[in-house]
Amino acid sequence: PVANYQQRIRAVIDKHPSKMKSSELARSFMETCRSGIASISAALDETAFEEAVRILYEAKHIYVMGVRRMFPVANYLGYLLLQTRKRVIMVDALGSMYKAQIDSLGKGDVLLAVSMQPYGEETLYCTDLAEEREAMIVAITDSALSPIARAASAALVVQEAEAYHFRSMACTMSLAQALFIALAYRLELALDSRPSKKSRKK
């Protein structure tokens, strides 16, 4: 396996010794992202997705967790969820504070964990704690056999495409946004179905 980013770029140069245009590299990578999103759309596990939305809808509090490469996805998902009426807690692990950030997690709450190989130890700790405290777990991960998928009540599996030895994040981000949109839609539908103050007075 390629150990670091510099070595990955060297591997691209070894495979394509003639100078490639920057735009050619960009288009090739974007095409890989496009194909990946088409694949995840076709392979979406509808049962798991519906269950994930239901769990988030019924949650008292939603704790959102993702570190390193998955941090941008978890952080953006947390930002989106804060736009709903749900109580959202970001477990960002900044300053190694993840144990304190997750400490109030309990039964009736949900841990929304985003983790891919090699699976951050911080996320694994939070997943184990959620399981121990009988909180629900919604996982966005890369395998149904991953450590967080095995503990999850709903696991959404994403296989990211790879180009030039770099894994795209387009599929994971797209799935995260879709999850938010589905949840927000359900929350607004529930709000619309509540009786108005006038009808309650009658």
Side-chain angles (χ1 to χ4, degrees), residues 4-165:
N4 59 44
Y5 287 110
Q6 186 178 21
Q7 288 175 324
R8 293 182 199 186
I9 294 298
R10 293 304 313 175
V12 174
I13 292 171
D14 291 342
K15 191 173 179 180
H16 303 278
S18 6
K19 190 175 179 182
M20 294 179 71
K21 289 183 178 179
S22 297
S23 57
E24 186 180 353
L25 279 164
R27 284 197 179 95
S28 180
F29 191 81
M30 290 173 188
E31 178 58 26
T32 298
C33 293
R34 187 196 66 77
S35 299
I37 291 173
S39 295
I40 190 175
S41 174
L44 181 67
D45 184 335
E46 292 184 12
T47 301
F49 191 85
E50 294 289 347
E51 181 66 0
V53 173
R54 183 195 67 78
I55 290 169
L56 293 171
Y57 176 81
E58 294 177 357
K60 289 181 183 175
H61 303 88
I62 301 172
Y63 290 75
V64 186
M65 176 71 182
V67 296
R68 286 178 279 289
R69 194 170 68 92
M70 292 297 105
F71 176 79
V73 179
N75 196 51
Y76 185 56
L77 189 47
Y79 163 75
L80 290 173
L81 291 170
L82 283 169
Q83 313 309 309
T84 70
R85 295 170 182 82
K86 302 302 292 185
R87 294 177 180 177
V88 180
I89 298 94
M90 281 300 304
V91 185
D92 54 29
L94 293 178
S96 298
M97 290 291 290
Y98 61 97
K99 291 183 180 179
Q101 292 169 335
I102 199 73
D103 191 54
S104 297
L105 178 77
K107 194 170 183 178
D109 297 332
V110 175
L111 172 64
L112 176 49
V114 188
S115 188
M116 312 284 178
Q117 278 190 310
Y119 312 114
E121 62 182 44
E122 302 93 334
T123 309
L124 293 176
Y125 170 87
C126 293
T127 304
D128 289 343
L129 183 68
E131 195 172 17
E132 179 186 314
R133 294 188 179 177
E134 299 183 5
M136 304 289 273
I137 301 167
V138 172
I140 297 178
T141 188
D142 55 357
S143 168
L145 300 177
S146 82
I148 66 168
R150 288 198 298 267
S153 303
L156 305 177
V157 176
V158 184
Q159 291 291 338
E160 285 287 9
E162 183 177 295
Y164 304 119
H165 305 286

